[in-house]
Amino acid sequence: MKIGAQLYTVREYAKTLDDFEQTLKRVAEIGYKYVQVSGVCDYTPEWLKEKLDEYGLKCVLTHCKPATRILDDPKQLCKDHDVFGCDCIGLGSMPRLWNHNEFTNDDVVEKFIEEYLPVMQIFKDNGKYMMYHNHGEEFDKLSNGNYMWDELANRIPADLMGFTLDTYWIQFGGKNPITEIKKLAGRLPCVHFKDYRIVRGADPKVQFAPVGSGNLDWDGIIAACEESGVKYALVEQDNCFGADPFECLRSSFEFMKSKGLEVE
């Protein structure tokens, strides 16, 4: 399993092409060889290929921008990913998932499967794999008593959609990341490594944290990922709470390297 960086962590430093290039350079200088491109400024596939090659990086996953491109022009999206050599095209969440007052959980899942299943087949026919990224909401229940997360896994064939499992959000949703990783073995080419830190006090809360500095069982998570065929462990930290996000990426990188994960 190889170490990678989810660039959403440093999105505030990638709002222009010049800044994005410098961000790629700084991520490479930390030691990362693999990245997920997400939350950054607009770019052409040719530009991205040039800069990835220049800094010795490989993009292994994207969250395309805007997300509606997945439905609007999936064949061209596949061609764009061919340019910079990326086989996994990700979706950050289900449309309508956040509109709790407008759509029921059942509506959200049914509409997602209806709209995206044909696109998943187009991706497969063009050598790509659709990846779905979870938050905590996917552990809401449907009217049949199933979790939304399990419903997606049960009803969508593994050869059409994988999961970018997010360790923090699995824990936040009340589930065990190790159990969920094992349950989805074979359809997890990429996993988001994100730690879960408890902030003590009169009003306890949880925070995102660099990998290894929170409360998650990383020995168990790493072992489960290795057993389940995960190829890339992508570091992500949604909020660094005032710390330098590049230093957070560095801390996570060093911790994961110390645990035996591969750099190249």
Side-chain angles (χ1 to χ4, degrees), residues 136-149:
E137 279 73 10
E138 286 83 359
F139 294 97
D140 285 350
K141 288 188 176 180
L142 302 170
S143 61
N144 63 10
N146 294 339
Y147 293 107
M148 299 169 75
W149 176 249

Side-chain angles (χ1 to χ4, degrees), residues 71-256:
L71 292 179
D72 294 342
D73 199 358
K75 290 184 180 178
Q76 184 59 50
L77 190 59
C78 291
K79 291 178 182 177
D80 289 348
H81 281 66
D82 282 339
V83 172
F84 53 90
C86 179
D87 293 334
C88 292
I89 302 174
L91 184 66
S93 68
M94 279 185 289
R96 309 177 186 89
L97 183 62
W98 313 102
N99 301 92
H100 298 293
N101 295 327
E102 188 176 355
F103 299 100
T104 67
N105 291 341
D106 293 56
D107 290 336
V108 171
V109 170
E110 293 302 325
K111 283 290 188 182
F112 175 74
I113 293 174
E114 174 188 337
E115 292 175 348
Y116 283 85
L117 204 57
V119 172
M120 296 173 197
Q121 186 63 56
I122 292 172
F123 281 5
K124 180 182 177 182
D125 292 344
N126 286 270
K128 305 303 173 193
Y129 192 40
M130 182 163 170
M131 296 284 290
Y132 180 81
H133 169 265
N134 70 284
H135 293 85
E137 279 73 10
E138 286 83 359
F139 294 97
D140 285 350
K141 288 188 176 180
L142 302 170
S143 61
N144 63 10
N146 294 339
Y147 293 107
M148 299 169 75
W149 176 249
D150 292 329
E151 192 81 0
L152 293 177
N154 292 338
R155 291 180 55 188
I156 299 175
D159 64 333
L160 292 183
M161 190 179 82
F163 291 87
T164 310
L165 182 147
D166 186 302
T167 56
Y168 175 96
W169 289 117
I170 293 288
Q171 184 74 32
F172 187 90
K175 291 294 183 178
N176 185 327
I178 296 170
T179 301
E180 298 305 313
I181 290 165
K182 291 180 178 179
K183 190 162 65 179
L184 292 170
R187 59 195 302 183
L188 295 170
C190 304
V191 167
H192 282 175
F193 273 33
K194 184 187 300 181
D195 217 336
Y196 183 98
R197 176 167 58 204
I198 298 173
V199 181
R200 306 293 183 186
D203 182 23
K205 55 178 71 76
V206 296
Q207 291 182 346
F208 310 106
V211 181
S213 66
N215 292 68
L216 295 186
D217 176 7
W218 288 108
D219 288 338
I221 288 171
I222 290 168
C225 285
E226 296 280 8
E227 293 169 11
S228 301
V230 177
K231 296 179 181 178
Y232 302 100
L234 302 171
V235 174
E236 183 181 30
Q237 193 170 337
D238 302 30
N239 187 332
C240 295
F241 301 100
D244 183 338
F246 291 98
E247 289 306 312
C248 291
L249 283 179
R250 185 187 304 278
S251 173
S252 295
F253 179 86
E254 294 299 336
F255 174 80
M256 292 163 68

Side-chain angles (χ1 to χ4, degrees), residues 7-25:
L7 298 182
Y8 186 75
T9 308
V10 287
R11 62 195 179 278
E12 296 300 321
Y13 299 84
K15 292 184 174 182
T16 68
L17 286 177
D18 287 344
D19 287 346
F20 186 14
E21 178 179 357
Q22 289 306 306
T23 288
L24 291 172
K25 181 175 183 289

